[in-house]
Amino acid sequence: MRGAVPFLILGAVLITALAAVLLYSPDPPEGGTVRRVYFADNISPAHQFVIDRFNREYAGRIEVVPVDLPFRKFSTNERKELLARSLRNKSDRIDIFSVDQIWVPRFSRWSEPLDHLIAKDEAGRILSYALESCVFDSHLVAIPLYIDVGMLYYRRDLVRSLPDGAAVEHRLKESITWDELLTLAGRLDLRGAPMYLFQADNFEGLVCNYFELLAGQDRNAFAGNRVDLSTPEAHRALQMLVDFVHRYRISPREVSQYDEIQSYIRMLRSGGAFVRGWPNFIENYTTFYHEPVDIENIGRAALPHFAGHQPVSVFGGWNLMISRHSPNKEAALTFARFLQREESQKVLFDVGGYIPSNEQVYRDSAFMARRPDLQYYRKLLDHGFHRPQLIGYTRISDIIANYAHRAIKGELTVSEALRRASLTISNERAFHE
């Protein structure tokens, strides 16, 4: 983990960055008739498109001011700490903010309850998978923006070069076994390129990779919102990630430095065969990284599964929460509802590749017929599972990520890494926030 001093310096930099965005925003028009709503998120072109639409529709009444916290500048953990510090200080300069769905329990203390504001029929239009992550302690505290699910990307040209390439590609779409993936490593002409890339830096993305291997052996591994690292399945899952690097050598040692973006770049630059990722990899890459790469040669597939078990993928996605300290709660809710509209959700998908959380989108047969990739994502959602919903989850995740990361780097054995992680988690001091 990062040392305390560098982290404090980073925190100061992040707070300064946020303050700069807010303090230098233009003042409301004279007379104060326009409610200015500050929206903190990774403001992609898709986000900006729907913000502009909203501002045109509500001109003279509400103006949404984006507070950009881009993934290319801030890691997920850095965004989390930046938002937490601002809200903990009861700042009224953030009205509505986007959170990773696993942050909902932690941020519920700073968010406006929505039970009495969102009617049942309104909630009924939201995908149940997505809505589940918005409820904490039996209260609705968030509204989904979009949902994600873990998946696999592959190089079409490499797979299609095999004599049975068409059959292999069909199997990839349905989900091959992990053993089949290892076998493919010996069949593909990689020419020094990596076979399988995943995210093994010290962050939540590594935990997602780990939990998918754990739940792939036991779909009920997290039932009751428990995290048990002492099981044979927990050991085997981490051992597999270590073995990908050190035993089978289908993954380079550098994965211990990779988040999603870095793993995507490595695949595209070096001709890697497979990478574990999220659904909007292609859309985000073409938007932010303008390099001459053959992005059209990347195919979508389901994550591999264990023989005798069903495929599984971890749910991801981002939810909207309204600050308890916002002076513009009603206007912020109006914007949140706008983002949940069917047309807004379609734009977010078409422009940014964000999977809609509005059920009505999937019922538009004409829209779906023109988007086979969204049809495929919808099938993958049926394989999804949620990470434990605990108010201390982010701290638990930090602990697991730290020790799993060290095991993959070869600094600790798998048994020792899991033992230390379990011991640290069991220590009540770990959850003092």
Side-chain angles (χ1 to χ4, degrees), residues 60-72:
R61 291 174 288 166
I62 306 172
E63 179 190 359
V64 170
V65 179
V67 179
D68 191 16
L69 304 175
F71 287 126
R72 63 187 182 279

Side-chain angles (χ1 to χ4, degrees), residues 14 61 147 186 228 257 395 414:
L14 295 177
R61 291 174 288 166
I147 189 168
D228 186 354
Q257 304 167 25
R395 181 61 182 138
V414 168

